[in-house]
Amino acid sequence: MIAHLFNAPLGESEAAVGVGTVGSSEAIMLAGLAFKRKWQNRRKKEGKPCDKPNIVTGANVQVCWEKFARYFEVELKEVKLTEDCLVMNPAKAVEMVDENTICVAAILGSTLNGEFEDVKLLNDLLTDKNKETGWETPIHVDAASGGFIAPFLYPELEWDFRLSLVKSINVSGHKYGLVYAGIGWVIWRSKEDLPEELIFHINYLGADQPTFTLNFSKGNYTS
Ligand SMILES: Cc1ncc(COP(=O)(O)O)c(C=O)c1O
């Protein structure tokens, strides 16, 4: 349902790729890990070093991005905010992208003021840069607070999988009420965007369960 809501390009009988998480923080750790592993695999294949990954965000990112960077050893490159722009400036973000950038993270609903970042412009500028350089720098959208607002209030706004470089999106369930605290999701655009080796197959109570989470048990049930 969420993948469809975010316009994932799924065929008729194709299953969506995503996971229920404890909240957007866990969802972001997982999305970040997938980007890091994909980038490392690509660099290894090209015979290039893969020990200095970085991620580009606005300086307005929520603290879980700093946690991701520190715990998973990725340099966080933040676009500075200015008095007249309290969110990430897409042009400045794309300028900061280099061959070691695992993704650019945009926020739909900045924690500071609720403002949506311009994901469409970011996608256009990054597409041009990727063409020039041959890199394949992707975009993650942190839609923790805007993911269940934008599709309903601004259905024409292109911020989700309609944009070709958007490879994953997270959203929190508990920011909207009527659920227990501790629920969120991360959705990937397609199977190719989540490296297979990150998925654990466990046989629990007699059936194969593919899992990609940091926690095994959690205080809510999603499938
Ligand atoms: C933009 C953004 N990303 C991530 C988070 C972390 O979300 P959670 O509390 O669901 O882990 C928040 C929480 O305020 C947020 O506003």
Side-chain angles (χ1 to χ4, degrees):
M1 283 168 68
I2 300 172
H4 283 295
L5 186 69
F6 295 167
N7 295 294
L10 295 167
E12 275 287 293
S13 55
E14 206 178 335
V17 186
V19 60
T21 58
V22 176
S24 278
S25 309
E26 188 192 10
I28 283 165
M29 304 287 155
L30 298 172
L33 268 177
F35 282 121
K36 183 178 172 189
R37 185 61 64 94
K38 250 207 119 176
W39 172 83
Q40 282 175 326
N41 288 347
R42 184 162 180 254
R43 298 281 291 177
K44 279 182 196 157
K45 224 169 150 190
E46 293 171 348
K48 293 180 178 159
C50 58
D51 56 341
K52 288 195 170 51
N54 71 61
I55 188 164
V56 175
T57 68
N60 51 318
V61 278
Q62 210 260 1
V63 68
C64 64
W65 285 96
E66 289 169 37
K67 240 186 190 181
F68 164 73
R70 200 183 303 171
Y71 289 1
F72 294 99
E73 299 182 328
V74 175
E75 183 198 352
L76 190 64
K77 297 199 339 185
E78 293 181 334
V79 179
K80 285 202 172 67
L81 308 183
T82 56
E83 260 179 43
D84 54 352
C85 181
L86 295 174
V87 291
M88 176 179 66
N89 174 323
K92 286 190 188 155
V94 171
E95 251 172 51
M96 287 168 79
V97 167
D98 61 30
E99 62 179 350
N100 293 321
T101 304
I102 63 170
C103 84
V104 180
I107 317 174
L108 204 79
S110 173
T111 319
L112 305 182
N113 62 1
E115 196 174 333
F116 289 179
E117 292 182 343
D118 192 340
V119 193
K120 169 102 174 64
L121 178 59
L122 176 66
N123 187 79
D124 290 348
L125 296 173
L126 200 49
T127 301
D128 290 346
K129 182 145 184 173
N130 282 346
K131 267 191 202 138
E132 270 166 38
T133 57
W135 304 333
E136 292 175 6
T137 314
I139 296 173
H140 175 88
V141 183
D142 176 356
S145 5
F148 290 147
I149 291 177
F152 302 103
L153 289 190
Y154 315 108
E156 306 307 323
L157 182 74
E158 289 180 43
W159 63 274
D160 54 17
F161 294 118
R162 281 168 288 183
L163 303 174
S164 60
L165 293 179
V166 174
K167 304 297 184 187
S168 50
I169 300 174
N170 68 276
V171 60
S172 298
H174 52 218
K175 290 200 169 55
Y176 304 89
L178 298 179
V179 292
Y180 293 108
I183 182 153
W185 297 271
V186 53
I187 310 290
W188 283 272
R189 179 184 196 85
S190 70
K191 265 180 101 157
E192 288 69 50
D193 298 303
L194 175 56
E196 180 65 38
E197 70 264 30
L198 292 179
I199 302 172
F200 276 77
H201 289 268
I202 45 173
N203 188 322
Y204 200 61
L205 302 178
D208 176 52
Q209 282 185 18
T211 103
F212 179 40
T213 50
L214 298 180
N215 247 52
F216 185 72
S217 305
K218 60 184 171 197
N220 52 60
Y221 177 77
T222 52
S223 63

